[in-house]
């Protein structure tokens, strides 16, 4: 798989050189994150490559929140870093067997997973960001969980992070309706 490096300043590097000309050609490339990468780095990717914002309908809302956020110290004490991971669920008996594949963005504290749904974007932007493993879950008479090293494409990364962020505030919105 061809690889690119997503740099903490929002640029893309390919074969050791900055590759800012045509980011669409890299959508199917595997990604690596530069040390010090944060969620703010993710949004800086769109500042440098505006065309990438058109890949996901949720981006406009997040861009407004990002623009209104402080320019530094957007941290959350409840976990150590953000992690983007891939999940494959095999659901079997009882019922008709099926396979579900999705991505998840979560907070990690030591080895514990922390939901980020109730945490606002302005508390996440400067959190360290890492790529996680693929978690293979087999549901049946018992639940078996396996973890594997995973590869992520640029498209999966952009779409998956924005999709998961779209669920932020859902619990607060439910509370406001009561």
């Amino acid at each position: 798989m061809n690889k690119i490096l997503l740099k903490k300043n929002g640029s893309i590097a390919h074969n050791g050189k900055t590759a800012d000309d045509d980011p669409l050609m890299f959508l199917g490339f595997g990604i690596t994150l530069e040390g010090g990468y944060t969620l703010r780095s993710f949004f800086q990717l769109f500042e440098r490559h505006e065309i990438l914002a058109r890949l996901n309908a949720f981006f406009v809302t997040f861009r407004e929140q990002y623009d209104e956020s402080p320019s530094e110290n957007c941290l959350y004490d409840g976990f150590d870093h953000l992690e983007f991971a891939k999940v494959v669920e095999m659901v079997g008996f009882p019922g008709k067997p099926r396979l579900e594949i999705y991505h998840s963005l979560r907070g990690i504290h030591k080895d514990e997973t922390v939901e980020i749904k109730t945490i606002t974007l302005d508390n996440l932007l400067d959190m360290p960001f890492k790529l996680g493993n693929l978690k293979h879950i087999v549901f049946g008479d018992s639940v078996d969980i396996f973890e594997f090293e995973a590869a992520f494409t640029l498209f999966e990364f952009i779409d998956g992070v924005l999709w998961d962020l779209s669920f932020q505030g859902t619990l607060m919105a439910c509370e406001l309706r009561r």
Side-chain angles (χ1 to χ4, degrees):
M1 173 182 276
N2 288 321
K3 290 271 198 177
I4 56 173
L5 175 67
L6 298 182
K7 301 189 82 167
K8 61 185 175 185
N9 68 1
S11 65
I12 297 171
H14 180 248
N15 293 331
K17 298 178 183 173
T18 299
D20 285 339
D21 293 342
D22 186 11
L24 295 180
M25 70 179 284
F26 298 115
L27 289 175
F29 282 42
I31 62 167
T32 303
L33 303 180
E34 181 179 45
Y37 197 88
T38 64
L39 189 57
R40 186 178 305 278
S41 304
F42 176 78
F43 282 96
Q44 289 171 333
L45 176 69
F46 298 102
E47 288 177 348
R48 292 180 81 103
H49 310 284
E50 292 180 14
I51 195 165
L52 295 177
R54 295 174 50 195
L55 295 174
N56 188 291
F58 297 114
F59 180 75
V60 174
T61 303
F62 296 117
R63 179 60 188 252
E64 291 170 2
Q65 291 176 34
Y66 171 74
D67 288 342
E68 293 170 1
S69 296
S71 60
E72 58 186 31
N73 297 320
C74 295
L75 299 165
Y76 182 71
D77 291 339
F79 53 83
D80 307 318
H81 67 275
L82 290 168
E83 184 177 85
F84 184 68
K86 194 177 289 191
V87 179
V88 175
E89 292 182 351
M90 294 179 70
V91 182
F93 184 81
K96 188 175 180 181
R98 69 182 189 278
L99 181 71
E100 296 179 10
I101 302 171
Y102 58 92
H103 296 96
S104 72
L105 178 63
R106 56 195 178 206
I108 303 294
H109 177 69
K110 297 181 182 172
D111 290 331
E112 298 294 318
T113 299
V114 179
E115 288 290 330
I116 64 167
K117 290 180 184 176
T118 60
I119 305 165
T120 57
L121 188 64
D122 62 349
N123 286 302
L124 297 174
L125 287 173
D126 296 314
M127 295 299 298
F129 201 118
K130 298 181 181 180
L131 297 175
N133 290 326
L134 178 141
K135 188 178 283 190
H136 182 151
I137 304 170
V138 181
F139 293 100
D141 291 335
S142 64
V143 176
D144 295 310
I145 300 174
F146 307 95
E147 284 203 36
F148 304 92
E149 188 175 316
F152 300 91
T153 67
L154 178 59
F155 178 79
E156 287 177 312
F157 184 61
I158 291 170
D159 193 59
V161 170
L162 291 172
W163 172 258
D164 254 332
L165 287 176
S166 73
F167 292 99
Q168 280 189 287
T170 54
L171 298 176
M172 288 186 296
C174 292
E175 289 295 320
L176 291 174
R177 283 191 234 152
R178 289 185 184 175

